[in-house]
Amino acid sequence: MPNAVATERTVIDGNEATASVAYRASEVIAIYPITPSSTMGELADEWAANGRANLWEQVPRVQEMQSEGGAAGAVHGAIQAGALATSFTASQGLLLYIPNLYKIAGELTPFVLHVAARTVATHALSIFGDHSDVMAVRQTGFAMLASNTPQEAHDLAAIAHAATLTSRVPFLHFFDGFRTSHELGRVELLGDDELRAMLDPDAIAAHRRRALAPEHPVVRGTAANPDTYFQAREASTPYHAACVEHVEAACARLASLTGRHYRPFERYGADDAEDVIVVMGSGVSTAATTAAYLNARGAKVAVVGVRLYRPFDAARFVAALPPTTRRIAVLDRTKEPGAVGEPLYQDVLAALAEAWPDADHLPRVIGGRYGLSSKEFTPAMVAAVFAELASPRPRRHFTVGIVDDVSHSSLSVGPPLDVFPPGVFQAIFYGLGSDGTVGANKNTIKIIGEETEADVSGYFVYDSKKAGAVTISHLRFGPAPLAAPYLIADADFIACHQFEFVERFDLLATAKPGAKVLLNCPLPPAAVWDALPREFQAIVVERGLELWVIDALAVARAAGMGGRINTVMQVGFFGISGVLPRDEAIAKIKAAIAKTYGKKGAAVVAKNQDAVDAALAEVHRIAVPTAALTERVRPPIVSARAPDFVQRVTAQMMAGRGDLLPVSAFPPDGTWPVGTTQWEKRNLAFEIPVWDPAICIQCNKCALVCPHAAIRTKLYPSDALAGAPEGFQAVPWKGDELPGGRYTVQVAPEDCTGCGVCVAVCPAKDKRNPRHKALDLAEQRPRRDAEAERYRFFLELPEVDRSLVKLDNKGSQLLQPLFEYSGACAGCGETPYLKLLTQLFGDRLIIANATGCSSIYGGNLPTTPYTTDRAGRGPAWANSLFEDNAEFGLGIRLAIDGHRAQAEALLAALAPHLGDELVAGLTGPPPSDEAGMAERRARVAALRQRLTTIDDPKARRLELLGDYLVRKSVWLVGGDGWAYDIGFGGLDHVLSTTWDVNILVLDTGVYSNTGGQQSKATPLGAAAKFAAAGKEVGKKDLGLIAMSYGHVYVAQIAFGARDAQTVRALVEADRHPGPSLVIAYSHCIAHGYDLVHGPEQQRLAVEAGVWPLYTIDPAREARGEPALHLDLGGTAKRSVRDYARNEMRFRMVEQLDPKRFERLQAEAQRDAVRRLEIYRQLAELRVAPATAAPTVPTAATTTTTTTTTVSAPTATGKEER
Amino acid sequence: MIDLSTTYLGLRLPHPLVVGAGPIGDDLDAVRRAEDAGAAAIGLRSLFEEQLRLEELTHDAHRGHHSAEAASYLPPVSDYVLGPDAYLEHLAKVKRAVAVPVIASLNGVTDDGWLHHAKLIADAGADALELNVYAVGGDPGEDAAAVEARLVAMVRHVVRETPIPIAVKLSPFYTALAHTARALVDAGARGLVLFNRFYQPDIDPEALDVSLRLTLSTPAELLLRLRWLALLRGRIDASLAASGGVHSGQDALKAVMAGADCVQMMSALLHHGVEHLATVRGDLASWLEEREYESLDQAKGSMSLARSPRPEAYERANYIRVLTGYARR
């Protein structure tokens, strides 16, 4: 890839604008993925894989680390050794940097860290943008530069890299996550020569001379004592004091090279304003344009934007304020509970106190919070802040952008303000994540931004689901500058790419009078109007909208593009919007197609270009009747049967009206009710499975593999069928669990995603016509209502008595899943394991969930998939962090065991009141079998009853703890990014204890949640982000590491290969009294194939030896048997290539470099053989039973008397310490 | 040593035994060993039209935008080698590795986009190109004339754009095979390869499924080839190659006598190793020498329809005789 050699104009987002500078100005780049900064690391890795050089004709060393803490250490080392280094991070990742940031600053080492500022997790995680992360490092000694637009991100990145070299103060350069990091805008790129001219060669040389080197050795990082630490700490003060001048010098250099001027503080608006807003980040643009708008209408207001936040230069800040300033509103994009005010507010107050020329007449300062977690910050809100400032008694502290009906902090905000000059075209597109809408819109922006004189901006809003995610694209075109970092409120054009949305969303709320609307609709044009709900029709009529339709799916299918409607809809946009002359637009689309897809081959180009012509002919305008609207209104968001909280809060969030909910609607501590996905009928599936009981062999595999618990099996007494709706199917059960029992396989038609995995695994074929199976896919729409009614009846059928069912692959599926309809991808390979876990242990399950996909589909609002059984019991679930989940889960176990110990002690103490029989029945290890557990629960109920009659404080305490006398199953769940990388230290430590915790690793071999970056679980030879060229080394063998302890139960499972072993391993892990580790093969869309083949790929992985199925049970070793049991023998049935060739992640390497692919595949084969051989040999390893070896005391055995002890160490000669 | 030389597609070969299109050509080491064993030419596996399309389209399909956290799940593909690049690169390597002619192969079924790969193959250094037109003709709506016209048009297109000699590898399933053969030669084909061995799907009764497998050829398959070599020899103006069922020196001899200029081997080499080629060549030479043939040329086509002492045997009479023969026993 050629370097940028001269200034060029391009349309990119803030991340790429930043990475473009950081990459070229660095020699060492340590990376770790975290949204929304991951793109910067991905680009660096991709550029390095392609051999792109930095400014010094070298390819930077790009290294992914195991955590941000690791990346911080790596760059610290690199800069100490005299390299120019950089890194990228956000949020929790930045927090993990903090210890090194102090060190790097304390050592006065040039370095730039680029941050896409993101919310730090508090009561909830959020991937969106605010300043809570960067504010947490303002004390480290780093300089902090804030940029507000993609162009500024590019320029200020260069200024940071320049100023750090000359000032020796390390820099944190940040911009608003998503808002700027993912916003597309026009950027004038610095050429290599310009960027080189920014970096002072003498300063680089000085940095090199300070490097740690044996030729001129020094010592750094000494331990100082009270006699000297303080003074030495003060010795760096002049450097920080001079930093602002270095920044100004770098700004001046940039201005001389490009004509673009920046200052540490920038004033906008009236020079004689009395009311001023001080703000930092993308909000500056909104505030500045609004100030200009207000001033043009007679106001006299100003805005001061903060660019250099640290060191905060009080004199320059005061100089940036209009001398006439009387009132200042400081806006902070963070919350600091308990502080006098938020950080910027405090800085402004202190700066004024120190530097305002008239100390007796300081301006009045008020402080407000806005925009937390990317909450909208609009011109109307800016106007509300100015109004508050101008009011007789402005509030000292306020919030803006929400309705705070609890603390009454919020300003009231007027209707939307359109602050744009005429000529700006604003368009909104509603699409699905999978339909390519976002990609097409990015393409549109590039066409207009790079090939016309218009300025452009694009911003993309996603919902929280992975399957069927709704995307809303906001595109603006017009005369420069278009800095408008907020969503469109007055649209000239609205496109809806999925017709179902007209029933779900208020699509036209933002339509300007006369706006054009384009609907993708499968109906003939004449039938469209009548199919629209009344709310939609009313707005079309009232605002005089132009309504256009196209059957994009039909056009796409006819053009051979399958279901991909993106190009068709893009043509529709250009065809009717008028943003460009139509012929010119079409020619540009075709050229863009050739450019975008050219390297992917002629077939894709031809298909897309054909679709362009076909699409134009199929856009039709609908004649809008002037009256007589339909009576049919949009259906309610949730069923009337939903609980009150769901009606009031959840449903509003589902409908996209969460912004309107007031503070009082929310729990103050982040606690949410479970079981709410059931109210969210998303109707995503085009086709759903249809059951033919005549062929069904009752294997229950369909239910086991279903990622969404949307196909279920049930065993129930025949008399329960009374009142069954028409068409409800039931057959006699073939097993002997319930004599005379009936059996039903039932689909949840509105919750099914249509992935087809159940149909793919169904083994029962019609002997006369094998194409017909016990499950076939058929169109959902005609079946929806009838099946929905049957499903409701199915749910009401009694659940089977758990103690009757055998806990195997088949029996487990007769148990109620307590994890349902999550937002996971269609065909997800992780969720079947979690669902199974809840079937096996759901009523006694506590899950500690590492951040990742499983925490997102497990706990991303508005709805939660974990639910309860009829007794109200179900999984209790919490997510702490990405890095600490094992420790978090261990803490839960410690608490539970402590509670049980207390309960037992209280039980003993109260025995005289309770009676020996009751106490005896509640003493001893809680049973782990279903019948025993049911009996124990009954006794606990009896205990509660008895306790109410006892007047003793101990009885009150026991009432709170009685439930802990029933077994609790603690599972620590997370992905491989957690278990192999960032959380490995903690996981390893937990394994080294003897506490009864179970660890389930949902191993996709990649950081799935953040978009497919490699982890140490990534298989050899696979391409992933951060390993774009294909991973060089084999997957870390986590199971073998865990086995080395000897007391850990370990299993490697893959339900697609052998579901019986999967269930057995989970049951054994749960019953193992010490720590257990279960590593579960989880297919993932990051692997690059249609997930309907997921279970089949699992089987191939196992048969190729890539994923041996085994269990390692210390109990077997204690019996003198080999601890390790290999479930499918020790030899591979097929080659690794047979497995790898089906997945794009492997094939990409071949397409990048066939020779490398051959080498990596050969190594992968060797690696598989070697691993299998290790396991085969271990499967024969018997250890002689211990001869009078002493039991080593452990935490578990010494701190409580109640924990079940782990099998004694069997190795002889182990000494007590 | 007897003169075994022959001419195939205008290429002068020291003897008729060549490595057919298949997996041996995939492996540079095997290619070198085949040359050492005396292979007169090396055939390469086909570049498949469907494969090219599938890869292009699959790449495209996996690059969607799925969620706020993950814009896409695989690294960008801008600089990845797609389409025929890997094949062409391998072809060039084989060309560098051996001195004998290299015959590439292209397998397709439609008449658009993919045909231009023939030109790229020629540019990459192939000495000849075998066009493998793999159409089953399973569409009841398409008549024989249309099937053949499509085939001929494709061949004409490729011949026009490609400077190297083109052979067409045929299936035996044409209504009027001899006529089709002539039409292909008229369209510019320099040779015909008889015949394509289809991947014949098998049935798995247990799973009630169709299983796709590739079985190696047996000498029994040679008989069909012999008949058609004999029928076409001398009646069309093109090189003929036997493909399928040649396992021994005797098999090769029969193919030559029926009319083959060139004998392609693959299954036997996969079964016995590429060194088997030397054995076949030795057996062929010994047989001819023992019977005092002067050259292979003497035997070539000696048993064709035009020269055979009983030409009717290749046509319908053969069928009647065999049937009645069985009846008499």
Side-chain angles (χ1 to χ4, degrees), chain B residues 29-245:
Chain B
D29 182 49
V31 167
R32 288 199 190 93
R33 285 192 289 117
E35 185 183 36
D36 293 345
I42 305 287
L44 293 189
R45 187 203 285 274
S46 284
L47 178 61
F48 273 81
E49 174 191 6
E50 290 87 347
Q51 184 188 339
L52 298 173
R53 281 170 183 277
L54 195 68
E55 284 184 358
E56 291 167 6
L57 296 174
T58 312
H59 254 292
D60 193 35
H62 286 291
R63 298 215 40 78
H65 293 257
H66 295 269
S67 69
E69 292 221 63
S72 68
Y73 283 94
L74 287 167
V77 288
S78 55
D79 289 292
Y80 285 78
V81 181
L82 277 168
D85 300 26
Y87 185 86
L88 298 175
E89 200 174 303
H90 179 67
L91 164 62
K93 268 188 224 153
V94 172
K95 219 15 229 174
R96 282 197 296 274
V98 295
V100 295
V102 175
I103 303 171
S105 175
L106 186 59
N107 189 325
V109 66
T110 61
D111 56 0
D112 53 343
W114 69 282
L115 292 176
H116 78 268
H117 296 313
K119 171 90 169 51
L120 298 176
I121 285 172
D123 293 346
D127 296 286
L129 174 65
E130 197 168 287
L131 211 51
N132 194 340
V133 277
Y134 188 119
V136 179
D139 176 4
E142 192 179 35
D143 68 12
V147 170
E148 287 171 22
R150 192 153 51 85
L151 171 66
V152 169
M154 267 192 276
V155 171
R156 187 173 292 122
H157 181 135
V158 171
V159 166
R160 195 169 53 231
E161 294 193 357
T162 316
I164 56 177
I166 305 292
V168 179
K169 191 169 187 174
L170 281 175
S171 85
F173 308 117
Y174 286 94
T175 308
L177 183 60
H179 176 268
T180 305
R182 177 180 290 168
L184 291 172
V185 174
D186 290 348
R190 296 279 298 273
L192 299 176
V193 183
L194 310 179
F195 288 113
N196 198 337
R197 292 181 68 246
F198 286 105
Y199 287 78
Q200 315 231 37
D202 199 355
I203 284 172
D204 179 346
E206 202 65 53
L208 283 179
D209 205 350
V210 179
S211 56
L212 293 171
R213 64 181 62 170
L214 183 59
T215 50
L216 298 182
S217 74
T218 66
E221 292 173 47
L222 183 60
L223 300 180
L224 180 70
R225 276 82 183 160
L226 294 183
R227 166 194 283 221
W228 281 102
L229 286 166
L231 280 168
L232 294 179
R233 178 82 210 174
R235 300 168 81 192
I236 58 162
D237 182 18
S239 298
L240 294 175
S243 174

Side-chain angles (χ1 to χ4, degrees), chain A residues 995-1189:
Chain A
W995 300 103
D996 184 9
V997 292
N998 310 293
I999 300 168
L1000 175 61
V1001 181
L1002 301 164
D1003 189 342
T1004 60
V1006 77
Y1007 284 80
S1008 297
N1009 192 45
T1010 48
Q1013 298 83 2
Q1014 75 161 337
S1015 76
K1016 283 199 282 296
T1018 301
L1020 203 163
K1025 292 177 186 163
F1026 295 2
K1031 185 151 175 275
E1032 277 282 351
V1033 298
K1035 182 187 182 81
K1036 166 167 154 179
D1037 198 334
L1038 188 61
L1040 208 57
I1041 293 170
M1043 183 196 182
S1044 68
Y1045 280 112
H1047 70 286
V1048 180
Y1049 178 91
V1050 188
Q1052 192 155 283
I1053 61 177
F1055 70 85
R1058 188 164 278 199
D1059 49 13
Q1061 188 254 5
T1062 295
V1063 179
R1064 181 159 37 83
L1066 291 174
V1067 170
E1068 287 176 358
D1070 189 63
R1071 290 190 182 159
H1072 178 66
S1076 308
L1077 173 69
V1078 180
I1079 309 168
Y1081 186 108
S1082 305
H1083 52 254
C1084 176
I1085 59 167
H1087 298 173
Y1089 63 94
D1090 185 343
L1091 291 189
V1092 73
H1093 306 300
E1096 173 70 2
Q1097 272 304 96
Q1098 294 197 3
R1099 186 175 66 78
L1100 295 179
V1102 169
E1103 290 183 0
V1106 169
W1107 191 270
L1109 298 182
Y1110 62 80
T1111 53
I1112 299 168
D1113 189 349
R1116 282 199 289 263
E1117 191 171 273
R1119 293 195 298 266
E1121 301 164 16
L1124 189 146
H1125 179 257
L1126 259 178
D1127 277 78
L1128 287 175
T1131 48
K1133 277 184 171 172
R1134 59 179 73 247
S1135 73
V1136 172
R1137 197 182 289 248
D1138 285 350
Y1139 151 76
R1141 64 191 305 183
N1142 297 331
E1143 301 191 3
M1144 191 53 78
R1145 57 174 169 163
F1146 297 105
R1147 297 280 292 274
M1148 285 182 82
V1149 179
E1150 183 175 24
Q1151 289 151 1
L1152 180 67
D1153 182 349
K1155 197 193 285 178
R1156 182 179 167 81
F1157 173 77
E1158 288 304 323
R1159 179 172 65 76
L1160 291 178
Q1161 283 300 308
E1163 282 174 22
Q1165 184 65 54
R1166 203 159 36 243
D1167 190 55
V1169 170
R1170 188 178 61 82
R1171 279 174 202 235
L1172 261 187
E1173 183 56 22
I1174 292 171
Y1175 286 122
R1176 202 189 54 71
Q1177 294 192 22
L1178 285 174
E1180 291 168 4
L1181 181 74
R1182 286 167 205 276
V1183 179
T1187 50

Side-chain angles (χ1 to χ4, degrees), chain A residues 168-442:
Chain A
R168 295 188 60 187
V169 175
F171 272 64
L172 188 147
H173 164 234
F174 71 97
F175 41 86
D176 290 354
F178 279 109
R179 191 64 257 183
T180 307
S181 68
H182 283 58
E183 176 177 325
L184 283 177
R186 241 166 45 158
V187 176
E188 308 243 339
L189 290 178
L190 291 163
D192 282 1
D193 291 341
E194 289 164 326
L195 186 54
R196 205 177 286 109
M198 289 291 296
L199 306 179
D200 178 358
D202 292 341
I204 296 173
H207 175 58
R208 299 266 199 253
R209 282 193 292 273
R210 291 189 295 267
L212 286 177
E215 287 73 20
H216 44 88
V218 292
V219 173
R220 274 192 206 115
T222 55
N225 297 301
D227 55 344
T228 59
Y229 179 93
F230 194 172
Q231 307 92 299
R233 186 80 182 102
E234 295 299 328
S236 65
T237 302
Y239 291 86
H240 294 278
C243 184
V244 63
E245 283 156 25
H246 291 282
V247 171
E248 284 176 332
C251 290
R253 215 170 317 146
L254 186 92
S256 71
L257 290 163
T258 67
R260 295 191 291 273
H261 296 268
Y262 299 100
R263 280 180 283 269
F265 300 95
E266 198 82 53
R267 184 201 304 165
Y268 307 87
D271 291 338
D272 56 349
E274 296 188 347
D275 293 341
V276 180
I277 286 178
V278 177
V279 62
M280 179 164 66
S282 63
V284 172
S285 304
T286 310
T289 46
T290 310
Y293 172 88
L294 295 173
N295 288 344
R297 281 155 186 76
K300 218 189 284 181
V301 294
V303 171
V304 170
V306 178
R307 282 212 186 81
L308 183 65
Y309 178 57
R310 285 285 181 276
F312 196 96
D313 191 280
R316 283 172 174 80
F317 170 70
V318 166
L321 290 168
T324 46
T325 303
R326 290 183 54 216
R327 290 173 293 263
I328 297 175
V330 183
L331 297 180
D332 269 273
R333 201 161 200 160
T334 187
K335 179 175 173 68
E336 195 168 309
V340 171
E342 271 60 39
L344 185 57
Y345 167 80
Q346 295 197 44
D347 287 319
V348 167
L349 277 179
L352 289 171
E354 290 192 1
W356 188 254
D358 182 356
D360 294 331
H361 298 92
L362 290 179
R364 180 178 176 82
V365 182
I366 65 174
R369 290 183 293 279
Y370 75 103
L372 266 60
S373 178
S374 290
K375 175 69 76 190
E376 278 287 278
F377 181 58
T378 63
M381 294 173 197
V382 175
V385 174
F386 279 124
E388 181 70 14
L389 264 188
S391 69
R393 271 186 300 281
R395 271 179 269 189
R396 185 67 84 172
H397 297 284
F398 63 87
T399 57
V400 63
I402 56 172
V403 176
D404 179 3
D405 56 345
V406 171
S407 307
H408 308 286
S409 67
S410 53
L411 304 184
S412 59
V413 175
L417 279 185
D418 185 358
V419 298
F420 284 114
V424 174
F425 185 89
Q426 307 190 78
I428 299 180
F429 302 77
Y430 291 84
L432 280 179
S434 52
D435 69 12
T437 298
V438 171
N441 284 328
K442 288 186 172 177

